[in-house]
Amino acid sequence: MNQLPFKSGFVAIVGRPNVGKSTLLNRVIGQKIAIMSDKAQTTRNKIQGVYTDRESQIIFIDTPGIHKPKHALGEFMVESAYSSLKEVEAVLFLVSANQEIGRGDRFIIERLKMLKTPVYLVINKIDLIHPEKLLEIIALYKQEMEFAEIIPISALQGNNVPELLDTLKQTLPQGPQYYPADQVSDHPEYFVVSELIREKVLHLTKEEIPHSVAVVVDQMQKNENGKVHVYATIIVERSSQKGIIIGKGGRLLKEVGTRARRDIESLLGDKVFLELWVKVQKDWRDKQTYLNDYGYKAKDY
Ligand SMILES: Nc1nc2c(ncn2[C@@H]2O[C@H](COP(=O)(O)OP(=O)(O)OP(=O)(O)O)[C@@H](O)[C@H]2O)c(=O)[nH]1
Ligand SMILES: [Mg+2]
C-alpha cells in the first residue's frame, strides 16, 4: 500500500482580543492548554498547541489579541502576536461573526497584506448569527483583502473545525514530525498551572482587576502522600485590588482556589493541595523587571 507523505508546519492564530483564538486552539488540540474568558486580552503569551495524527502534525500558535497597547505589558503582548507571523507556513486571521469589521481589524489586515504567507480568514462564532447573514459578512471581508480561503466556524461548538483542519493539511508542505505525538504544548506544566489560577481570577472579578493580575507558581512538588502541593502568588497593582481578590472573609480567594484546584487536578491527573498568596507590586505592568519576573520576557518572542 502506498503511504501518503507526512505533512507538517506551523500555523499562527491572530486577531483582535476576544474573538475566540484560544477557544479554537483548545478545540483542535482537544485539551485545555490556553485559558479562555469573556474579558478582552486574556492571553498574554504565545502558546503552541501541537496537533498530531497519522499523516500530519500541525503546530498552532495561539497569540495575544492585537490591540492598541497602553502599557509595557500590552506592548509585549502585541509584539509577541506579530512575531508569530514570521515563523509560520500559514496564518489564521480569526474574526468574530457577530462583530463588524472595525479599525482594529483593518489595522491587522494592513500587516497581513505585507506577508507572503497564505492568510486564511476564519469567521468564528457563527452560532451567534443567522446563516443568511454569513454571505454578507464574507462579501465584506473579501473587499478588504485576498484571503487564501474563507472558513466559517464555531470554535465553541466545533462546527466546521474538522474542515478547517483538512484544508490546512492539504496546503501544508511535506515535512517532519517536529514533536513527539504525545506532546501537546510548548509550555511547562507550571505555566499552565499559573494560567489556570489567573483564569479563575478573570472569571470571578470584573473591571480593572482582570488586567492587573499576574500569577506566579513559587513551588510545585509531589509529597509522600502522593498529593501535588502547589504554592502560588497572585500579584496585583494596588492594595485595594488585593482586598477585592481576597474578598469578604477570604471568600473570593477561596473560590479561586477551589475552582483552580479542580482544573489543576485534571491537568496533572493527581490530587492537588493549592495554597494561594496575594501580593501588591505597584504598577508592575509598566516595569520591565517585574514583567521579566512574571513571565513576560521580550527575549521569548
Ligand atoms: N458563541 C460563541 N462564543 C465563543 C466562540 N468561540 C469563543 N467564544 C467565546 O468568546 C470569548 C473569548 O474567547 P477566547 O478564546 O478567550 O478569545 P481570545 O481570542 O483567545 O481572546 P484574547 O486572548 O483576549 O485575545 C469566550 O467567552 C468564549 O467562550 C464561538 O464559536 N461561539
Ligand atoms: Mg486568548
Side-chain angles (χ1 to χ4, degrees):
M1 209 168 70
N2 257 349
Q3 257 217 300
L4 290 169
F6 196 83
K7 292 190 159 190
S8 64
F10 290 75
V11 174
I13 310 173
V14 300
R16 283 160 65 181
N18 223 23
V19 294
K21 298 178 294 299
S22 302
T23 307
L24 174 61
L25 181 80
N26 292 333
R27 164 70 59 185
V28 289
I29 303 310
Q31 207 175 312
K32 182 161 157 188
I33 56 169
I35 62 168
M36 302 165 283
S37 89
D38 60 358
K39 314 280 190 307
Q41 298 166 36
T42 295
T43 304
R44 291 177 176 167
N45 309 76
K46 279 192 288 190
I47 298 169
Q48 278 189 15
V50 186
Y51 167 89
T52 312
D53 64 19
R54 282 162 57 106
E55 69 260 19
S56 66
Q57 181 165 75
I58 311 175
I59 300 104
F60 289 91
I61 307 174
D62 181 20
T63 63
I66 297 173
H67 63 284
K68 208 168 169 189
K70 295 203 182 79
H71 40 66
L73 173 64
E75 277 162 29
F76 164 85
M77 288 161 59
V78 173
E79 274 319 305
S80 52
Y82 283 136
S83 74
S84 72
L85 298 174
K86 290 181 273 182
E87 52 202 57
V88 293
E89 270 80 27
V91 174
L92 303 184
F93 174 41
L94 209 68
V95 298
S96 183
N98 67 339
Q99 246 179 357
E100 305 234 319
I101 307 178
R103 276 222 307 227
D105 291 300
R106 295 214 166 85
F107 191 76
I108 301 171
I109 287 171
E110 285 316 305
R111 286 291 284 254
L112 297 179
K113 278 181 184 165
M114 294 192 262
L115 298 175
K116 293 201 181 77
T117 323
V119 177
Y120 295 81
L121 176 70
V122 179
I123 303 175
N124 189 30
K125 306 197 188 184
I126 53 165
D127 54 290
L128 295 179
I129 57 154
H130 196 280
E132 275 175 16
K133 188 95 200 298
L134 192 57
L135 287 178
E136 210 177 289
I137 300 171
I138 292 174
L140 285 173
Y141 275 100
K142 271 189 170 163
Q143 289 171 13
E144 302 287 331
M145 174 180 166
E146 200 171 319
F147 296 102
E149 212 154 321
I150 299 180
I151 307 160
I153 65 159
S154 168
L156 193 66
Q157 301 184 344
N159 313 16
N160 231 19
V161 174
E163 287 75 5
L164 169 63
L165 274 171
D166 280 345
T167 308
L168 289 173
K169 275 189 219 169
Q170 279 163 26
T171 41
L172 283 179
Q174 220 169 305
Q177 184 180 315
Y178 292 96
Y179 296 98
D182 59 355
Q183 179 169 346
V184 291
S185 173
D186 62 331
H187 284 281
E189 269 171 355
Y190 72 82
F191 171 83
V192 186
V193 167
S194 70
E195 287 284 272
L196 290 171
I197 298 166
R198 192 166 64 83
E199 183 185 67
K200 304 312 166 203
V201 177
L202 299 195
H203 289 178
L204 291 166
T205 60
K206 47 187 193 299
E207 284 156 21
E208 90 274 28
I209 306 282
H211 297 297
S212 316
V213 166
V215 176
V216 173
V217 169
D218 305 304
Q219 215 186 12
M220 195 161 114
Q221 64 185 39
K222 205 166 186 163
N223 277 28
E224 317 82 56
N225 58 12
K227 257 192 181 182
V228 180
H229 284 225
V230 179
Y231 298 88
T233 307
I234 298 172
I235 295 122
V236 290
E237 290 190 312
R238 285 188 292 281
S239 48
S240 58
Q241 295 168 337
K242 180 173 173 174
I244 293 171
I245 297 231
I246 292 173
K248 245 195 207 133
R251 233 173 286 157
L252 196 118
L253 190 63
K254 192 159 175 243
E255 185 61 24
V256 168
T258 307
R259 294 192 189 188
R261 183 174 46 77
R262 262 185 237 137
D263 271 20
I264 300 167
E265 284 180 342
S266 71
L267 173 82
L268 304 177
D270 274 316
K271 284 274 170 218
V272 166
F273 170 82
L274 174 62
E275 189 158 317
L276 294 174
W277 297 88
V278 185
K279 182 168 117 183
V280 180
Q281 199 63 260
K282 208 169 163 290
D283 299 327
W284 68 264
R285 281 184 297 170
D286 255 325
K287 298 200 172 125
Q288 204 53 53
T289 46
Y290 295 132
L291 290 178
N292 291 346
D293 288 352
Y294 304 155
Y296 310 112
K297 281 199 191 93
K299 73 167 180 51
D300 291 345
Y301 289 161

